[in-house]
Amino acid sequence: MTVSGTASASRTAPRPASRRATRRREASIGLLFVLPVLLFFVAFRFGPAIAGALLGFTDYQPGADTSWTGLDNFRRMTEDPLFWRALRTTLLYSVLAVPLSILAALAMALLVRRAFRGVKLFRSIFFLPVVTSLVLAGILFTWIFSAGGPWSSVMGAIGLPGQAWLSDTTLVIPALVVVAVWTRFGYGMLILLARLQDIPRELEEAALTDGANAWQRFRHIVLPELRPALFFLAVIETTVSFQVFDTVYVMTGGGPANASYMVVFQIYDQAFRYFDFGYASAIGVALFVMTMVVAVIQRLTVGRDR
């Protein structure tokens, strides 16, 4: 009776090949259902990017005939002094904004890492600038940095020059960096906080038992564990810094004397002020390539496995 029952069960059990075929069929049916949305996403996500890259090789202006110009726009870009100035300004802004944003995010993440009374309120307050409109933030900081505004009043109270920072060619970039740090450190804090909470407490407690001070515990235990998150933040912050536009448009308009004129602002000018979409697209392609190169360099340094 037992033998016959076992034989019957073995005959009714699905074979491995049959199970694989069933899984493939189910996967095909599932892909068929998501295919329309997937095609829609690919078309609207990558279609404009590909079209914009192709425009960089043309002389395209609305209402005029489009002609293929090859690398002419890129040659023009290398000979354009305004582009090189915008690139230098963008790099200076990024060199200041990226590390300061990450350091502020790391400091705030360490501050709210431990559970204490009101910690959730502090986390919410620190994250609030991230969900604040950049246009609203730009308007707010335009008033703060204006002559007679709160910032100039504080500077005057401590004996420093209280001029309007946004009207000074030397101070306008630091002012924009302050806005960048304020609006972005909350996102980095959230990423680093999630990683910090995954670090086993036993590691730090063991180091504390061995006599390690706070800096030694941070350097040898916490920092290595944060390396993947720091790499991710470095890439994200660099990309955002290279593409800064909203606050520049609202606060300075590229001034004074082109001191805050950045690459994306030049793309905007060429496309929507001079309607030279071909040249604007070429600058966009160059900016994309530079962003990818910097990301690779960051991968080889910050993101490298130790």
Side-chain angles (χ1 to χ4, degrees):
M1 185 71 177
T2 304
V3 174
S4 62
T6 303
S8 176
S10 63
R11 286 195 300 269
T12 58
R15 297 178 180 179
S18 177
R19 287 198 297 268
R20 286 196 296 270
T22 302
R23 292 195 190 101
R24 284 198 297 268
R25 185 167 59 253
E26 292 176 350
S28 301
I29 295 174
L31 181 61
L32 188 63
F33 276 103
V34 302
L35 188 59
V37 177
L38 182 62
L39 293 176
F40 184 84
F41 173 79
V42 170
F44 284 88
R45 184 74 176 103
F46 297 103
I50 296 173
L54 292 176
L55 282 180
F57 298 91
T58 65
D59 179 17
Y60 172 72
Q61 296 182 359
D65 294 334
T66 302
S67 59
W68 184 265
T69 58
L71 298 176
D72 287 353
N73 286 324
F74 296 93
R75 295 192 192 97
R76 174 186 168 188
M77 183 174 57
T78 60
E79 300 169 357
D80 185 358
L82 185 59
F83 168 75
W84 291 110
R85 178 167 185 173
L87 179 59
R88 286 194 300 270
T89 304
T90 303
L91 292 177
L92 174 61
Y93 171 85
S94 300
V95 166
L96 295 175
V98 172
L100 288 177
S101 296
I102 295 177
L103 286 175
L106 180 58
M108 294 301 103
L110 292 172
L111 181 64
V112 299
R113 177 189 183 187
R114 305 300 184 190
F116 58 88
R117 188 172 184 179
V119 64
K120 293 183 179 180
L121 176 61
F122 281 103
R123 291 174 182 174
S124 301
I125 293 174
F126 292 156
F127 188 75
L128 186 60
V130 179
V131 296
T132 301
S133 167
L134 289 177
V135 174
L136 178 60
I139 295 172
L140 174 63
F141 277 94
T142 300
W143 167 69
I144 291 175
F145 287 117
S146 63
W151 188 258
S152 62
S153 300
V154 172
M155 293 295 102
I158 62 178
L160 295 176
Q163 73 269 31
W165 279 35
L166 298 180
S167 301
D168 191 293
T169 56
T170 305
L171 297 176
V172 64
I173 293 298
L176 292 172
V177 169
V178 170
V179 180
V181 173
W182 184 81
T183 55
R184 300 202 312 243
F185 81 90
Y187 175 77
M189 179 202 71
L190 196 65
I191 299 297
L192 295 176
L193 181 62
R195 187 68 190 97
L196 283 170
Q197 292 179 337
D198 285 339
I199 300 177
R201 294 285 299 273
E202 294 79 9
L203 294 177
E204 294 185 69
E205 292 173 356
L208 183 62
T209 303
D210 291 338
N213 56 35
W215 167 248
Q216 290 171 332
R217 295 196 303 273
F218 173 77
R219 179 183 177 185
H220 297 290
I221 297 176
V222 177
L223 193 57
E225 294 291 334
L226 289 179
R227 186 177 297 277
L230 290 174
F231 164 65
F232 172 78
L233 280 182
V235 173
I236 294 298
E237 292 293 336
T238 301
T239 304
V240 172
S241 295
F242 278 9
Q243 297 177 356
V244 62
F245 175 77
D246 309 68
T247 52
V248 176
Y249 182 83
V250 173
M251 297 176 65
T252 67
N258 289 335
S260 62
Y261 196 84
M262 303 199 195
V263 174
V264 175
F265 201 89
Q266 186 180 17
I267 295 175
Y268 165 80
D269 263 357
Q270 294 296 327
F272 299 104
R273 180 176 296 182
Y274 305 115
F275 299 103
D276 192 350
F277 286 89
Y279 186 46
S281 299
I283 299 175
V285 171
L287 181 62
F288 171 76
V289 172
M290 287 185 289
T291 304
M292 294 300 297
V293 170
V294 172
V296 171
I297 294 174
Q298 291 171 329
R299 177 67 180 89
L300 296 176
T301 54
V302 182
R304 184 177 57 186
D305 295 333
R306 298 293 181 179

